[in-house]
Amino acid sequence: MSSTHHAPQWDDRRLPGAEGKTFLVTGGNAGIGYFVAERLAGTGAEVVLGSRDRAKSEAAIASIGSRVPGAEVRHLPLDLADLGSLRASVDALGLDRLDAVVHNAGVALDRPPRRRTEDGHELMFATNHLGHFALTHHLAPLLMAAPGSRIVTTGSFAAKTERLDLDDLQNEHDYRPKRAYARSKLAQMLFAMELNRRLRDAGSTTLSVLVHPGGALDALTPARPPFHVRTTGERLSRLPLGLVVQGKDAAARPAVRAVLDPDVHGGQLLSPRAFGLRGAPRAEPLWKHLADPVTAARLWTASRDLTGVDPTFTAPASRKPPGPGRKGTGTPATGHGKAASA
Ligand SMILES: NC(=O)c1ccc[n+]([C@@H]2O[C@H](COP(=O)([O-])OP(=O)(O)OC[C@H]3O[C@@H](n4cnc5c(N)ncnc54)[C@H](OP(=O)(O)O)[C@@H]3O)[C@@H](O)[C@H]2O)c1
């Protein structure tokens, strides 16, 4: 008798357990990243909040600890705008394998002037794209050591109608902040697609998955005092907007699914069901311009030249089979520990 296997439908009210796994969330100290971390902590995994602000991370860790019994959450100093610091951040992880990274942190400026990082790069392109590109390079050995690991890149609906200017990636001419933001998010999404191709070519089991959170407003987001509070007036005045967009808790759902759903595959784009703006996460047909391998490859080369690194997922022939656990301990990361910062 033959039987047909139907994959169970994803239900993010019942997340699968992930004890023994470790997930890194960039910008996990606030906004959507906080809620990604809070949900992932509930699976029993160790969750690391990559943040440039220790105090904010500690407030987030306290909040998660008060809501998720036994949550194992810690802080990692991470400044994506400072490319030279990323190697040290990855070393400070103290891990020899990583099961997923969520490239969530982002900066969105809505008015001039054009700002530059200490490295001299335009701030949004540098933080959103170049920082995550270089971080992926430094994390590659840890991700390769975890079979089926995932790199989840956060794009934006704003990138849907945008096009890259490969001759002006740093927005030096005719600087328009909203356009520069949208292009930086498009760069991230093209990077994720090119990364997916390279992972497949290398025969890697690591997946590169794209997500976008739809439209997310703080005013529609449940309170997480002390770092996120909202007044009743604010909540009521924004209530009608809830018909179109959502809170940052709901906007975290595509990334949580991208990390945990066993049926997700590389190169998939997960986003909110209702017009890509709100609702349950579903796999959205890939936007046509994201499937352009020529632009993506040219962006990769330019990013390599700007950062001086080249994310590579080809295992050296002498590589030992991966073992679970933290660097040097040889023991698996146990599911439930105490929420702490390191
Ligand atoms: N909200 C939306 O409607 C929406 C729509 C589409 C896409 N997105 C994307 O979703 C992601 C999260 O958005 P959000 O609304 O949650 O933003 P948010 O509330 O402004 O949070 C942004 C996070 O990024 C961190 N960050 C900024 N610069 C950083 C740097 N140099 N190094 C490390 N971390 C840095 C921030 O840390 P600090 O606290 O230290 O500043 C914060 O944790 C972003 O990638 C954004 O582009 C959001």
Side-chain angles (χ1 to χ4, degrees):
M1 200 168 103
S2 69
S3 70
T4 316
H5 169 73
H6 291 287
Q9 279 233 317
W10 176 254
D11 177 359
D12 62 12
R13 285 163 306 183
R14 290 182 194 80
L15 299 181
E19 290 85 359
K21 295 194 172 185
T22 304
F23 305 133
L24 168 63
V25 183
T26 70
N29 62 288
I32 295 167
Y34 166 83
F35 287 96
V36 174
E38 186 184 282
R39 291 304 312 275
L40 292 178
T43 67
E46 180 192 37
V47 180
V48 185
L49 312 183
S51 164
R52 57 188 172 170
D53 188 326
R54 175 179 282 271
K56 280 193 185 174
S57 262
E58 278 171 1
I61 289 165
S63 172
I64 294 173
S66 71
R67 276 156 212 285
V68 181
E72 200 183 340
V73 191
R74 63 184 167 110
H75 165 70
L76 176 76
L78 180 77
D79 183 355
L80 290 159
D82 180 1
L83 294 175
S85 69
L86 298 178
R87 166 87 272 158
S89 288
V90 170
D91 287 346
L93 264 175
L95 297 171
D96 60 14
R97 55 171 279 163
L98 181 67
D99 295 280
V101 55
V102 182
H103 289 333
N104 159 83
V107 56
L109 304 176
D110 54 10
R111 62 179 67 110
R114 178 178 178 275
R115 289 175 54 192
R116 294 195 308 163
T117 64
E118 290 288 317
D119 297 328
H121 303 306
E122 188 275 316
L123 182 68
M124 289 185 278
F125 181 69
T127 308
N128 302 352
H129 171 59
L130 293 180
H132 284 120
F133 180 88
L135 181 64
T136 304
H137 166 80
H138 296 301
L139 289 174
L142 307 187
L143 290 159
M144 279 196 293
S149 59
R150 295 176 182 196
I151 300 159
V152 177
T153 296
T154 309
S156 170
F157 198 75
K160 193 166 186 177
T161 48
E162 199 47 75
R163 294 294 178 272
L164 274 195
D165 182 350
L166 285 161
D167 297 321
D168 187 21
L169 286 171
Q170 305 259 15
N171 304 288
E172 285 175 87
H173 308 293
D174 185 21
Y175 176 70
R176 292 184 230 165
K178 286 191 173 143
R179 185 178 67 180
Y181 168 73
R183 286 180 173 176
S184 76
K185 300 309 288 180
L186 177 57
Q188 286 190 265
M189 296 175 94
L190 285 165
F191 155 70
M193 289 304 296
E194 178 65 16
L195 180 61
N196 176 54
R197 277 185 281 277
R198 288 171 181 243
L199 288 164
R200 299 290 70 78
D201 288 352
S204 173
T205 62
T206 298
L207 304 182
S208 169
V209 186
L210 293 80
V211 297
H212 77 81
L217 296 181
D218 283 322
L220 295 172
T221 305
R224 289 294 184 270
F227 70 91
H228 171 60
V229 283
R230 57 175 186 169
T231 63
T232 309
E234 245 173 20
R235 195 168 58 84
L236 293 177
S237 70
R238 296 296 176 96
L239 225 44
L241 276 173
L243 297 170
V244 187
V245 292
Q246 56 191 354
K248 295 196 173 179
D249 53 332
R253 294 167 77 188
V256 170
R257 180 171 182 178
V259 170
L260 296 172
D261 184 351
D263 292 320
V264 160
H265 46 83
Q268 226 171 16
L269 171 61
L270 303 180
S271 62
R273 185 171 298 280
F275 307 108
L277 288 174
R278 66 188 299 275
R282 52 86 205 246
E284 176 178 350
L286 197 67
W287 306 339
K288 205 171 160 203
H289 62 315
L290 292 181
D292 169 7
V294 177
T295 303
R298 286 183 62 195
L299 171 69
W300 188 286
T301 304
S303 309
R304 183 199 64 196
D305 294 346
L306 289 167
T307 59
V309 298
D310 192 1
T312 306
F313 283 79
T314 312
S318 61
R319 212 182 159 71
K320 287 202 191 114
R326 309 224 173 97
K327 194 183 254 174
T329 65
T331 52
T334 50
H336 295 291
K338 190 100 190 77
S341 89

